[in-house]
Amino acid sequence: QKEVEQDPGPLSVPEGAIVSLNCTYSNSAFQYFMWYRQYSRKGPELLMYTYSSGNKEDGRFTAQVDKSSKYISLFIRDSQPSDSATYLCAMTRRYSGTYKYIFGTGTRLKVLA
Amino acid sequence: EPEVTQTPSHQVTQMGQEVILRCVPISNHLYFYWYRQILGQKVEFLVSFYNNEISEKSEIFDDQFSVERPDGSNFTLKIRSTKLEDSAMYFCASSETPDGTNYGYTFGSGTRLTVV
């Protein structure tokens, strides 16, 4: 079983839709979770950082972590064509004082005008 | 907004040649990283660096790879003898804290390395 699983998509939605992006993971020790957006041929850009379980909201974005199910989600409200990108989840645990984030494969999102 | 700068944006090299990829992390960040992304695949951790030494490395980061902070601003990744399978996008990242609390890791735009 892969440490982090993410549906690669592509996911196509109409403008204004609510988008739900998800990752599952196998390592119950993971505590730190990030969502990144990556445009083609660019570096990942941080959207949300969450620690442990719960919800976090920032503008149109909401991140959810359910550690009991080993499942994290990113919701995008009122999606825009400019949200079209690949969305990466990343997570880690503490390794003897250091951290190495494990990334999912990314989900390609296309928001249609 | 502060950013991580990587040069060059694209490097083509012959198999067996040495390459050095350069990065200028955000000035008040203390933790530095290299990740790579083979075309169409996921972003993979290579190495983390703090206080002038490697703090963690992956199995990909073998003896052909090395990192250095030659001065107060640059952070470099050297590949001693490149192989075809080293062709990838290499991302440098930096952070204020090792776990990325609050602000996560800031990534550069990457260097596309093509080994021919």
Side-chain angles (χ1 to χ4, degrees), chain A residues 18 31 34 38 47 64-65 69 76 80 107-108:
Chain A
I18 297 174
Q31 292 179 290
M34 297 196 283
Q38 186 178 25
L47 289 175
Q64 275 186 358
V65 175
S69 303
I76 308 174
Q80 304 294 309
T107 299
R108 272 201 304 134

Side-chain angles (χ1 to χ4, degrees), chain A residues 36 38 41 46 49 98 101, chain B residues 37 56 99-100 103 105 112:
Chain A
Y36 280 87
Q38 186 178 25
R41 298 184 180 265
L46 180 71
Y49 169 91
T98 68
Y101 274 89
Chain B
Q37 187 175 31
E56 186 77 34
D99 58 9
Y103 304 110
Y105 292 1
R112 179 166 298 282

Side-chain angles (χ1 to χ4, degrees), chain B residues 4 6 12 15 26 31 36 41-42 54 58 62-63 65 72 79 81 83 88 93 99 103 109 111:
Chain B
V4 173
Q6 288 187 246
V12 181
M15 195 167 53
I26 292 174
Y31 300 86
R36 81 170 185 191
Q41 297 187 27
K42 67 177 184 176
I54 290 173
S58 72
D62 61 22
D63 292 344
F65 291 87
I79 309 175
S81 177
K83 302 189 279 284
D99 58 9
Y103 304 110
S109 292
T111 293

Side-chain angles (χ1 to χ4, degrees), chain B residues 1 8 14 16 29-30 34 41 48 52 55-56 61 64 72-73 75-76 84 86 91 93 106:
Chain B
E1 191 170 319
Q14 290 208 319
H29 286 184
L30 300 175
W34 284 100
Q41 297 187 27
S48 58
N52 282 319
S55 42
E56 186 77 34
F61 194 88
Q64 293 300 310
S73 58
F75 179 51
T76 62
L84 294 175
D86 293 327
F91 292 108
T106 302

